[in-house]
């Protein structure tokens, strides 16, 4: 099927670059879905490859990618690179990884992958041994921390490179522990947006 799609695209003689880009993107994503539909481990590599493909075809654009912190992070899990690690390798300092985190509050998620029934869950309050616990000790409850700034290279910022857990919640309910380790804060992100108390999202759709 994919070879047939490639031939059709090549034979179509499309002169509009944007239309050709869209068609090639559809073909690429179909192939990626067939290869990774059982989560064989290529998901983050494919996400990074698709962003690279877009950037190469739109060299004048600035791109903002919104995803779970775990995907954005310049990190590796169980020996496999996350999307952010692939992008950092291919783009260098042109890729800026910004994480979002909180220390308390609530969030919206589903119980499992099969039932998309959205519910509100209470976030486990940040505890010792987590980065949000330390971030919550600042005077401000909402701020941006530039992890590549000069202040973060001072002796007092040593904790940025001490292994601790990150807040890790997704659209599936996280279970008892909402925190997980995936790299030292000073290494996996270029900056952090911290909002001490977060609140669950609300749908605008009518029941």
């Amino acid at each position: 099927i994919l070879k047939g799609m490639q031939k059709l695209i090549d034979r179509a003689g499309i002169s509009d670059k944007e239309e050709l880009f869209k068609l090639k993107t559809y073909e690429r994503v179909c192939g990626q879905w067939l290869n990774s539909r059982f989560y064989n481990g290529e998901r983050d590599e494919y996400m990074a490859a698709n962003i690279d493909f877009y950037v190469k075809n739109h060299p004048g654009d600035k791109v903002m990618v919104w995803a779970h912190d775990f995907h954005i992070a310049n990190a590796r899990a169980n020996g496999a690179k996350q999307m952010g690690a692939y992008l950092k390798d291919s783009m260098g300092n042109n890729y800026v990884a910004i994480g979002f985190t909180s220390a308390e509050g609530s969030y919206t998620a589903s119980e499992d992958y099969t039932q998309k029934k959205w519910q509100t869950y209470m976030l486990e309050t940040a505890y010792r041994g987590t980065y949000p616990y330390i971030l919550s000790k600042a005077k401000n409850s909402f701020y941006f921390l530039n992890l590549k700034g000069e202040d973060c290279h001072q002796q007092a910022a040593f904790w940025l490179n001490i292994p601790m857990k990150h807040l890790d919640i997704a659209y599936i309910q996280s279970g008892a522990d909402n925190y997980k380790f995936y790299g030292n804060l000073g290494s996996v992100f270029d900056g952090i947006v911290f909002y001490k108390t977060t609140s669950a999202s609300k749908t605008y759709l009518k029941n």
Side-chain angles (χ1 to χ4, degrees):
I1 294 175
L2 291 176
K3 289 182 179 179
M5 290 175 65
Q6 292 173 351
K7 288 180 180 179
L8 285 173
I9 292 172
D10 292 338
R11 291 175 182 174
I14 299 171
S15 58
D16 187 313
K17 290 184 179 180
E18 189 60 25
E19 286 301 314
L20 185 60
F21 165 76
K22 289 179 181 179
L23 287 172
K24 287 186 176 181
T25 297
Y26 298 150
E27 182 267 322
R28 283 167 55 86
V29 172
C30 285
Q32 291 165 357
W33 181 84
L34 289 171
N35 288 333
S36 64
R37 64 191 186 280
F38 298 116
Y39 291 93
N40 292 323
E42 302 98 338
R43 184 184 176 201
D44 277 80
E45 182 178 1
Y46 287 151
M47 289 192 292
N50 290 336
I51 295 167
D52 273 328
F53 185 65
Y54 180 92
V55 170
K56 288 174 182 176
N57 283 274
H58 301 82
D61 287 6
K62 292 183 178 181
V63 180
M64 179 179 287
V65 179
W66 189 285
H68 190 292
D69 274 4
F70 191 40
H71 297 301
I72 295 295
N74 177 22
R76 287 162 173 76
N78 300 320
K81 292 198 295 188
Q82 298 306 116
M83 179 187 74
Y86 283 108
L87 293 175
K88 186 64 83 171
D89 286 346
S90 64
M91 299 183 182
N93 291 333
N94 287 325
Y95 175 70
V96 180
I98 305 295
F100 289 77
T101 194
S102 297
E104 61 187 22
S106 59
Y107 66 101
T108 302
S110 179
E111 287 186 4
D112 56 52
Y113 288 96
T114 60
Q115 310 246 347
K116 298 296 190 300
K117 294 181 180 178
W118 307 113
Q119 300 182 51
T120 296
Y121 295 91
M122 296 307 298
L123 181 67
E124 181 183 10
T125 301
Y127 52 84
R128 290 180 182 273
T130 67
Y131 289 115
Y133 176 82
I134 296 180
L135 294 169
S136 69
K137 300 305 178 183
K139 292 181 180 180
N140 295 329
S141 61
F142 176 49
Y143 59 90
F144 174 74
L145 178 61
N146 178 7
L147 294 170
K148 301 306 177 186
E150 291 185 8
D151 290 344
C152 289
H153 296 287
Q154 302 299 320
Q155 187 175 359
F158 70 93
W159 58 274
L160 293 173
N161 292 305
I162 291 179
M164 285 186 272
K165 291 182 178 181
H166 301 256
L167 177 63
D168 187 72
I169 55 173
Y171 75 96
I172 301 301
Q173 202 269 331
S174 301
D177 193 348
N178 293 151
Y179 300 87
K180 178 171 137 184
F181 177 75
Y182 45 86
N184 295 345
L185 186 63
S187 302
V188 298
F189 293 112
D190 297 298
I192 283 286
V193 175
F194 179 76
Y195 198 87
K196 184 176 181 180
T197 305
T198 188
S199 58
S201 59
K202 297 180 180 179
T203 180
Y204 284 99
L205 300 176
K206 294 182 179 180
N207 294 329

